[in-house]
Amino acid sequence: MAARSSKSPEPEQTPQTIDTTSEQQPNPAAVRTQEYAGGEGWQVGQTAPSDAFRALDAAGTGEPTGPVVHTHPGGYARQIVAKGQVVTEGVRRELDAAEASAAEGEQG
């Protein structure tokens, strides 16, 4: 005699169908801005056209010194952004600080 299970059989699940006959338009508010490239340049959201470095103080303070250069200056340096990466607000602040420092050095 076969043992009977007191468990009721699982109901069959039918796959849900998706109605593809109606035309759905994408929600314009849901379009991601990252899908549109900002081009190459040094403004926020653009792609950096080259590497950007700034030398660090050799005295050991670690303070950035000198202008922004596009090849490693040798010694201690900080890479601000790599070629092909998106320029962020932080990168732009670093570039602006370097420009302000250079302008201050010319005046003083």
Side-chain angles (χ1 to χ4, degrees):
M1 180 171 197
R4 254 181 138 185
S5 172
S6 62
K7 200 172 169 187
S8 62
E10 293 288 321
E12 287 188 33
Q13 294 188 3
T14 57
Q16 293 190 0
T17 57
I18 299 172
D19 181 15
T20 57
T21 58
S22 67
E23 289 191 34
Q24 296 179 351
Q25 296 294 321
N27 180 353
V31 175
R32 294 179 18 201
T33 56
Q34 292 89 348
E35 292 176 8
Y36 302 100
E40 280 193 353
W42 295 106
Q43 297 306 313
V44 174
Q46 292 183 323
T47 301
S50 64
D51 293 340
F53 295 92
R54 192 156 183 220
L56 297 177
D57 183 15
T61 63
E63 291 296 314
T65 183
V68 171
V69 294
H70 300 290
T71 58
H72 196 285
Y76 296 104
R78 173 173 36 207
Q79 185 169 15
I80 299 170
V81 67
K83 178 180 180 177
Q85 298 302 306
V86 174
V87 175
T88 63
E89 289 182 23
V91 168
R92 190 65 245 170
R93 275 193 302 271
E94 288 259 2
L95 296 171
D96 290 342
E99 289 172 14
S101 175
E104 184 178 294
E106 290 174 3
Q107 292 175 359

